[in-house]
Amino acid sequence: MIIILGCLFFGAVGGYLIRGGGEEHPDHEHTHIDENGVEYTCSMHPQIRQNEPGQCPLCGMALTPVSNKKNGESSPFILEITPEAVALSNVQTTRVKSGSGSGKLTLTGKIQPNEQRVKSLTANYAGRVDQLYVNFTGQEVRRGEKLATLYSPELVNAQKELLETAKIKDRQPALYQAAKEKLKLWKISDDQIAAIESSGQVKTQFDVFSDVAGVVTARNIAVGDFVNRGSALFEIVDLSSVWVMLDAYESDLGAIKKGNDLTFQVSSYPGREFKAKVTYIDPVLNPDTRTVGVRAEAVNRNFELKPEMFVSANISTSQATASGLMIPKTAILWTGPRSVVYVQVGDKEAPAFEMREIEIGARVGDDYLILSGLEEGDQVVSNGVFAIDAAAQLSGNYSMMTRPEVKTLDVPEEFRKQLTTFVQSYLPIKDALVKTDAKSTQATISPAKSSLSKVDMKLLDGKAHDIWMDLLRPMQNSLDKIAQTSDVEEQRKHFEILSDNLIDAVEYFGVVENTIYRQYCPMAFKDQGAYWLSSEKEIRNPYFGDMMLTCGEVKDTYQPGKRVTSSSGNQPEVQVGHVH
């Protein structure tokens, strides 16, 4: 007992000393960041972070560089990583550019026999196989070629009946005709029957002939076997025509129609192209592979195409020539109609990538048309996009799996066009206030009110209609009050209300054609701050005019077709440095 108690006592003392006097170590002690902001983390245990390469203390995996926060906290949409991490993930970018082309799909599959040209040769009568002329599968046969010889006791008896009834056919023609019909039912030809009658001899063996040309793919008999009537003797396939069986994904089905032409290649004949035509599309989706079978028929001259060969096919789809912004399919993280890409926003010394939602259109070869979300000249990640997305998840940023709540609603395109027209009529009001010109400001109100009245609320329903009605009334009142006063400071107060409601409208419903910037001046109205919209990125302050023309900053950018999220809309603003 003394020894046991002594061990417990000294064990407790040792544990106390090792733990440092019982002090608790908070979880953040696992995070070490050097003065440059470079962090290294474990992909399996993202809570482990340190300022130098090493191994994870939990699983032993090598730590990888994650981010560089030396410029302060960035947007949750933007991932900042190190040049080393970019090189390690082999990240490559591709410039978004305009292009055009007809629809073309690249699918993979293999050659299969044409099931419509498969013939099963069966026994017309029971008998024993006395001789085989086709001894192995894969042997080519011609139409009318002898395949086997059978001995049939039933056929011997039937011949005897024929010869006996032939002697009395004048008196009993019905018996004679019945004997002949019995032989015909066993596929004995008229010529063979006439030969038996003329010779007066019973044939003990009959030959089996092929009624098609092709390749023997199955031999079900051997010499000495006894076969019954209807037994399958051989299976013969005509390979002069073959099927090209391809797998198409769900996203490709809208572009594939029966009758589409295609070209395909096989590795056996590099550089050669074979032609075929789509003849069938499977009506049922394969639940395991999530693909649909597409079948094309090709002429197989000289039997160059062998069943089970792998093929790579290009299908000319039924879509007309399409044009617009295009990006490679490898740049897209598929999440439905609105997918995700990463756009490079940093430089080589401080790489950064912004997650963007895009709306994709038709497929054009290995590229996809982009309907919204990108602009020409953007650099999208085309290789290593999964590594970037995984790093964003580890860093707590938004990613493909953790996307923010979307504020923008789905409304008719016609409504967006009408709202965009009103935004264009709002901009002259802003420009007049920048000049601190009350009369010019009043003159811009009438066109704006006319444009606002043409925004058709009947195009909306449900939640979208209610939101628009809540925003419409204050915008109408603000326009009326700006027109009624000649005091530019009063006009600016009402302009702020107009701007706040119009910003909400743009975020809820979106714009078309031009990019709009949401700008902010923290010193407006005695440092309470105020927003406005501008078609130019350059700051031109409507709340101070010439007094502080460039006071302000861009808070958000509204691109045509780009949806606004709850985190990028009107959120509490943090006062940061701005330009005077």
Side-chain angles (χ1 to χ4, degrees), residues 442-499:
Q442 289 177 320
T444 60
I445 299 303
S446 179
K449 292 174 66 176
S450 175
S451 177
L452 182 60
S453 66
K454 294 178 181 178
V455 179
D456 188 2
M457 67 183 73
K458 295 179 181 179
L459 294 173
L460 305 178
D461 54 15
K463 177 182 177 181
H465 183 271
D466 295 340
I467 291 175
W468 173 248
M469 295 306 298
D470 290 341
L471 298 174
L472 177 62
R473 296 186 185 94
M475 288 192 293
Q476 290 173 332
N477 293 336
S478 298
L479 291 173
D480 290 337
K481 291 179 180 179
I482 292 174
Q484 293 168 3
T485 181
S486 58
D487 184 351
V488 71
E489 295 303 325
E490 285 295 318
Q491 289 177 338
R492 284 168 171 160
K493 291 179 182 179
H494 300 304
F495 175 75
E496 182 198 11
I497 299 174
L498 171 65
S499 298

Side-chain angles (χ1 to χ4, degrees), residues 37 39 49 66-82 342-343 345-346 350-355 391-392 395-398 555 567-568 571 574 576:
E39 297 177 76
R49 293 172 182 254
V66 175
S67 62
N68 188 332
K69 301 292 184 182
K70 62 184 178 182
N71 293 327
E73 291 297 326
S74 62
S75 165
F77 291 90
I78 297 177
L79 173 70
E80 299 176 358
I81 60 178
T82 63
Y342 281 87
V343 180
V345 294
F353 302 93
E354 179 185 4
M355 189 198 82
S395 300
N397 287 17
Y398 290 130
K555 284 293 186 180
S567 62
S568 62
Q571 52 187 333
V574 179
V576 295

Side-chain angles (χ1 to χ4, degrees), residues 153-198:
E154 294 180 356
L155 203 54
V156 170
N157 292 333
Q159 292 178 80
K160 291 179 179 179
E161 291 177 7
L162 175 65
L163 294 176
E164 291 298 326
T165 57
K167 297 176 182 178
I168 58 172
K169 64 180 178 181
D170 294 335
R171 292 175 309 198
Q172 299 289 340
L175 289 175
Y176 171 70
Q177 193 63 34
K180 290 181 65 175
E181 290 299 326
K182 187 177 182 180
L183 290 170
K184 288 181 179 180
L185 289 175
W186 285 337
K187 303 297 182 181
I188 304 300
S189 66
D190 290 335
D191 293 339
Q192 289 176 309
I193 294 174
I196 294 171
E197 286 188 64
S198 62

Side-chain angles (χ1 to χ4, degrees), residues 406-424:
V406 176
K407 183 176 181 179
T408 304
L409 303 174
D410 290 327
V411 297
E413 189 69 12
E414 182 61 29
F415 185 85
R416 286 198 179 99
K417 291 180 180 178
Q418 296 173 3
L419 178 60
T420 302
T421 301
F422 174 60
V423 172
Q424 296 301 321

Side-chain angles (χ1 to χ4, degrees), residues 253 255-261 277-283 294-295 315-318:
L253 290 180
I256 305 175
K257 304 294 181 185
K258 290 182 181 178
N260 287 152
D261 294 322
K277 186 180 291 291
V278 176
T279 57
Y280 177 80
I281 300 174
D282 199 327
V294 176
R295 188 176 75 205
I315 297 182
S316 298
T317 67
S318 57

Side-chain angles (χ1 to χ4, degrees), residues 226-243:
F226 188 88
V227 296
N228 295 315
R229 185 180 181 185
S231 298
L233 306 179
F234 304 95
E235 186 175 275
I236 301 174
V237 178
D238 181 5
L239 294 178
S240 61
S241 173
V242 293
W243 284 349

